[in-house]
Amino acid sequence: MANIFIVEDDESINELIRRNLILVGHNCIQAYDGKEALTLFQHNSFDLILLDVMLPSISGFELLPDFVNTPVIFITAKGSNIDKIRGLTSGAEDYIVKPFDILELIARINIVLRRNFKESSIFIHNNVTVDFHAHTVFSDGRAIYLTPKEFDLLEILIHNRNIALSREKLLELAWGYDYPGDTRTVDVHIQRLRKKLAWEDIIKTVYKMGYRLGVTK
Amino acid sequence: MKFWQKMYLSVLLLFLVVFNIFILSFANSVYQKNLDSIRILVNRDFSSFKSSFQKDMKELKTRRSLSDELVFVLFNSYANISRKQDVFLELQKNTHPLFSNLPFSSEHILVRFHDDSQKAVIYRNDNMNYYCIRSSLSEPFSEYTLVYIFPLTELESYFDQLAGKSLFAALSLSFLLALVLFFLSKGLTAPLLKLAKASQIIASGNYSQKLTITGNDEFAEVSRHFNNMAVEIEKKIALLQEENIKKQLLIDSMAHELNTPLTSIQGYAQYMLIAESDEQERYEALTYILKESKRLSLLGEQLRLLLETRNMELLYEKVNLLELLHTVIQMLHFQLEEKQITLTAPSRSAYFCCDITLITSLFRNIIENAIHACQYGGNILINFEHTNERLVIQIKDDGQGISEEDLEHITEPFYRIDKARSRSEGGCGLGLSLCKQIVQRHHGTLSFLSEKGNGTTVCLLFTTSLQLS
């Protein structure tokens, strides 16, 4: 749940990013050109900035020094390695290329937030509190015991909340690429989570897609 | 072997061979000539000696009887006289030498006389040539044979001298020639080397290398042409590089133009799959997808037109420009009304030989741009100016104008002054590139007059008589 600044001149893409970030619980402010970006930056404090490299009349690289004390992730349409390297060595935290996968963007944002200690470590929904640092889950004040894998899965669902994740994706994220088992283990774990947290309505099954933790604000 | 070496050696060799052959044959003919002269003289001398001796023998025989001693004495006196003239004599009686002052045995000589008809031979002994005559006395003294030997010393020494001089001449001349030829052939091929060197430098990319031209000969001409060639190549390469950069820019722009709508389409489609969205959100997402798809479609169409216009065959017909203009105005009628724009068309028409489809596109693009530039309630004025030499079409709007900086680039593909506004209106930046292309295909020029905030005038100029007939 961070304050994220989206600086992207293409309206539809800017909007697309905003919607996705809101889904997973971030707050977003949007700017469409360099001037607007600088003005808004003065009047707000952000946890992270998504900065398009190709803005009208100025490049993202040139704006970078003005965004002091805030981690920046560059967005660009260019896929060339030179630009990637330039992007990373110029002082940005990370670099993502259009068209990007939304899950990837969310994951990278989380990593950068974590690195800069801006990640929220607590998640609360109704009467359930999840502490990511302490690895504890409380429901109505009562401690709930989860196995490490169950906790991992829960964490992933929370970080990608409101987004449908496929079984394969969940398996990959929680169990790793090399896991030899199949996706049934995901189903089993989901069942257990639902039961333990009484979240049958929250952790929804999405037709043909997978599972979604649905906690709209 | 190098050319100059080939030239050098072949001329030198030729000279030496010819010269030496000449010298040799010359010397030989001189020798033969001299020898012939000597032959004649010697034969004459011998004849007179022989007849004289014969006469004396006759007389001797009539006065006394011929004894060997008497003959000897007689012959001796002849021999002494002859000796004073360097002649050697021998007298044989029945092949038996009676008197001889020969420096060597006559046997050696006599074997060389193959038959009786042969009178003289040349015999070489001890580095000296001897001219030898053998003859028998006539009756009644036929048993006596005379041998007359004349050493060719003078001839020999003369010839030796001649040979010496000739050799000296040949050698010194050859040496001189060798020297001269060497420098000459080197000197003549020097320009070729310069040419080779310059070619090498140019091949390695330095086109500014030029040859200095001295004199007016063939090499100077080659150098002149070579320098021209270098200049032309330099120009061509610069042109090609420029075009290459332009092409690269186009490709880059195009990739970017494709990428942006695709990102939207992909993003929203994914969003709809993974997010729980309500009806409004779905509507908005799908609207974006549709809009971007249409934009891609338009991009494809514009691009196709742009490429086609470059290569297609134009269908020329005589067009009533005013009619065409009104057709275009009709097409844009809605947009004009939406912004309440006043469009003033010319009162009189002009006729123009052109491709009607392309010129319709041309007008449409330009007028659309004018509409976009205008504020609400703006004005567009269109003018035709038609003389025998030229046709000028002006489209003037009082809209927001174009800055000097942007004016340079507006006909570049994908160039947009205000990206956000242009995109929202569905443009993809190819309109003016297309217009430029169309005008060029009709052999005209497209120019702009504009000031930021003060409207824009688009000027189309056509001058070829083809168009104006």
Side-chain angles (χ1 to χ4, degrees), chain B residues 217-311:
Chain B
D217 62 358
E218 289 89 340
F219 284 120
E221 203 174 317
V222 171
S223 303
R224 205 173 302 130
H225 287 302
F226 184 83
N227 287 342
N228 279 343
M229 187 179 73
V231 169
E232 287 303 312
I233 289 179
E234 193 171 11
K235 276 196 217 155
K236 269 272 154 65
I237 297 229
L239 204 71
L240 283 173
Q241 279 175 337
E242 222 184 278
E243 281 188 10
N244 209 26
I245 291 174
K246 271 201 205 146
K247 275 215 180 99
Q248 195 53 44
L249 208 64
L250 180 63
I251 291 174
D252 286 343
S253 299
M254 204 155 73
H256 186 252
E257 291 301 312
L258 285 175
N259 197 304
T260 311
L262 282 175
T263 307
S264 276
I265 294 171
Q266 188 179 311
Y268 280 105
Q270 190 184 26
Y271 178 78
M272 287 206 301
L273 279 176
I274 61 178
E276 199 170 31
S277 40
D278 60 27
E279 218 176 294
Q280 190 199 355
E281 279 184 321
R282 258 202 306 283
Y283 170 80
E284 281 168 5
L286 288 168
T287 309
Y288 273 125
I289 290 177
L290 190 60
K291 188 168 108 183
E292 296 300 302
S293 303
K294 282 193 177 156
R295 176 138 58 107
L296 276 180
S297 196
L298 178 67
L299 178 64
E301 182 59 32
Q302 293 275 62
L303 215 54
R304 186 188 64 81
L305 261 176
L306 193 63
L307 293 171
E308 220 179 70
T309 314
R310 193 171 296 174
N311 297 314

Side-chain angles (χ1 to χ4, degrees), chain A residues 9-16 19-20 23 54-56 77-78 98-103 162-165 204 206 209 212 214 216, chain B residues 256 259-264 266-277 280-282 284-285 288 291-292 295 419-420 423-424:
Chain A
D9 68 305
D10 188 279
E11 190 201 311
S12 59
I13 295 179
N14 197 321
E15 185 55 27
L16 176 69
R19 287 186 195 200
N20 281 292
L23 272 187
M54 298 235 292
L55 293 168
K78 286 195 191 157
K98 287 191 275 197
F100 45 74
D101 178 73
I102 206 65
L103 289 173
N162 297 313
I163 290 181
L165 296 162
K204 300 205 180 94
V206 179
M209 285 294 295
R212 184 197 289 134
T216 45
Chain B
H256 186 252
N259 197 304
T260 311
L262 282 175
T263 307
S264 276
Q266 188 179 311
Y268 280 105
Q270 190 184 26
Y271 178 78
M272 287 206 301
L273 279 176
I274 61 178
E276 199 170 31
S277 40
Q280 190 199 355
E281 279 184 321
R282 258 202 306 283
E284 281 168 5
Y288 273 125
K291 188 168 108 183
E292 296 300 302
R295 176 138 58 107
K419 273 210 248 172
R423 280 233 192 94
S424 71

Side-chain angles (χ1 to χ4, degrees), chain A residues 122-174:
Chain A
I122 308 241
F123 173 75
I124 303 177
H125 177 75
N126 293 348
N127 37 7
V128 174
T129 308
V130 183
D131 186 330
F132 298 117
H133 284 173
H135 274 254
T136 55
V137 183
F138 284 93
S139 175
D140 290 323
R142 258 178 33 246
I144 311 266
Y145 173 70
L146 295 179
T147 69
K149 242 343 149 218
E150 284 166 2
F151 193 88
D152 286 342
L153 192 59
L154 181 63
E155 190 171 356
I156 287 162
L157 286 169
I158 291 172
H159 279 140
N160 293 290
R161 55 186 174 280
N162 297 313
I163 290 181
L165 296 162
S166 66
R167 288 173 180 82
E168 288 79 12
K169 194 76 189 172
L170 285 168
L171 192 65
E172 180 194 306
L173 290 171

Side-chain angles (χ1 to χ4, degrees), chain B residues 184-200:
Chain B
L184 206 66
S185 42
K186 268 219 129 162
L188 287 177
T189 53
L192 284 176
L193 286 175
K194 267 198 229 151
L195 193 67
K197 187 135 187 244
S199 305
Q200 198 176 30

